[in-house]
Amino acid sequence: MSVSAGDNIKLDWERQEDPQRLAAFEARIDAGELVEADDWMPQNYRVGMLRMAEHHANSEIVGALPEGEWITRAPSLKRKLALIAKVQDEVGHGQMLYRVSQDLGKPRDAMLRDLCTGRTKYHNVFNYPAPTWADVAMIQWLVDGAAIMNQKSLADGSYGPYVRTMRRINMEEAFHFKSGEDMVLTLMSGTPRQRRDTQAAFDRWWMPCLMFFGPPDKDSTKTSPFMTWRIKTLTNDTLRQRFVDRFAPAAIDLGLEIKTKQRDASGAIVSDDLVPDELIVHDEASGHYGFTQPDWDEFNRVIRGNGPLNRERVGLRRFSYEQGAWVRRAVLGQTCGLPLAN
Amino acid sequence: MGLSSKRTGIPTYEHPDRLSDNPEGDLRAYEVFVQTERGKPHTHCGSVDAADDAMALQFAREHYGRDQACVQVWVCPRDAMIRTDYDKDLVFRLTDQSYRFAKGYNVGAKWREFRAQRDYEDYRKEDIKEHF
């Protein structure tokens, strides 16, 4: 194995690539061709793609944790079966994406270990708690909705193995999203308490979902090599606006109120108490919905490991990794322990 | 804070950057092919990592065979597959290969010509019979 850990897989913008090969590579990307695992690619393309695929894989694995907690408490057999299937799908996506990442040069075990020790990240949104069943519905509707929006754009990317995996994943995400929509509709047509719980869950997930697409674009985003190489195909702000345009009218339709943190006249956040977001208005001229930006200070706190559940999520992943060591040893021992008979 | 904080038995770690055991090597990569219906071709759909063939087949069934109609799964160790090189091997020549395809043969025009010639010959025979 050429690479023993993740530490030496770094972006290096000083690196000089063979100009002829680079030009041929970029021409292929411009022509809409897909790059395959064995093809020549610039080192920064490989590293950028690996980081994205690994982060995505981590997110699928950790993303299964908040929902997994609810399997034993699902309100009906049908919901329980669907939730088990969804959690299984997410873990499966994680496995497929680790496989894609391995071919980009990082061993699988190094990725699992880096996740357990906090060297690599997963999606911020999974550091928030899911205290009620309505949160499970909200995760499947809003978070999976945001994920589909993001992944649809990634399915237009340039790295063949990732793109094909993304198309497959999107088929399965469509079921998660529909089942979430079904749950939210059920809850919002239920008792006053169910509707209250759903509003409370919506309040917990709306802003983390706005943050889901990452920090606001810098001026340089559109010309970043990751955009020209089509590792990313749409900017964070474009995707965020798409999400709002899709989900703000749906939430209003369902009778949910969209809220934001309380701010003073200068726009500074004065309290964590939520007030209705006055900017949620459809603008006829642009065709878009307005919205108030989420609390980016909170985003930065959570991403540095100080979110509500960062320690628990990583702790549980690590717990099961360490508890599973004997299984891995047994499996590996079986194949490499016995000499071949001849 | 919901169920997560009530879960017991999850240790907190003094040294979060040190794990108790050593890293392991990669397993073997297998390519996965699924057949969605009997009689249809098997299609490549991705790959899995496994320690042996039986485990590869089990993983492939779980990851690729569950969420779509599927009647058969094939797995094949990647290093056992022989393949061409995109750059070095030209698999399909770009010269005129119309002779390889049905559409490369315009038999309609030939039939028309053939029938016209036959009709002409028949007419000529009749003509000769009549006059001599």
Side-chain angles (χ1 to χ4, degrees), chain A residues 129-204:
Chain A
T132 71
W133 177 253
D135 289 80
V136 178
M138 240 2 118
I139 292 173
Q140 293 202 17
W141 185 54
L142 274 191
V143 180
D144 284 72
I148 293 175
M149 218 143 258
N150 189 30
Q151 286 165 194
K152 267 197 176 156
S153 82
L154 297 175
D156 294 329
S158 60
Y159 186 59
Y162 185 73
V163 164
R164 288 189 289 273
T165 307
M166 217 43 52
R167 291 198 189 124
R168 191 191 165 79
I169 287 180
N170 284 345
M171 277 189 320
E172 295 176 359
E173 294 288 348
F175 134 58
H176 306 164
F177 171 70
K178 277 286 164 202
S179 120
E181 199 174 22
D182 189 86
M183 286 197 282
V184 173
L185 272 165
T186 304
L187 289 166
M188 286 307 282
S189 7
T191 64
R193 185 177 162 196
Q194 283 176 308
R195 290 201 294 275
R196 226 172 27 243
D197 277 1
T198 313
Q199 176 70 55
F202 183 77
D203 294 344
R204 279 188 286 276

Side-chain angles (χ1 to χ4, degrees), chain B residues 24-39:
Chain B
E24 293 141 15
D26 274 336
L27 304 178
R28 199 175 185 191
Y30 286 76
E31 297 297 338
V32 182
F33 302 80
V34 296
Q35 187 186 31
T36 55
E37 238 177 88
R38 272 178 183 256

Side-chain angles (χ1 to χ4, degrees), chain B residues 13-120:
Chain B
Y13 298 96
E14 282 296 305
H15 302 289
D17 55 343
R18 262 182 268 153
L19 289 173
S20 56
D21 58 344
N22 297 322
E24 293 141 15
D26 274 336
L27 304 178
R28 199 175 185 191
Y30 286 76
E31 297 297 338
V32 182
F33 302 80
V34 296
Q35 187 186 31
T36 55
E37 238 177 88
R38 272 178 183 256
K40 289 257 174 82
H42 291 70
T43 316
H44 179 247
C45 61
S47 42
V48 294
D49 244 40
D52 56 34
D53 297 353
M55 186 177 169
L57 196 57
Q58 186 60 34
F59 280 175
R61 289 174 61 153
E62 287 294 323
H63 296 325
Y64 295 100
R66 258 185 193 254
D67 296 306
Q68 61 181 42
C70 177
V71 293
Q72 195 175 42
V73 179
W74 286 353
V75 292
C76 175
R78 181 184 286 174
D79 53 22
M81 297 178 78
I82 322 293
R83 55 200 170 148
T84 55
D85 188 301
Y86 278 123
D87 298 325
K88 289 185 201 127
D89 299 316
L90 209 51
V91 180
F92 185 88
R93 274 171 292 138
L94 297 174
T95 49
D96 179 16
Q97 290 200 75
S98 56
Y99 60 83
R100 283 183 168 275
F101 302 104
K103 70 173 184 200
Y105 298 88
N106 184 3
V107 290
K110 289 220 167 107
W111 270 117
R112 274 192 298 281
E113 218 174 285
F114 175 80
R115 288 194 181 112
Q117 183 66 29
R118 193 180 56 194
D119 290 350
Y120 169 72

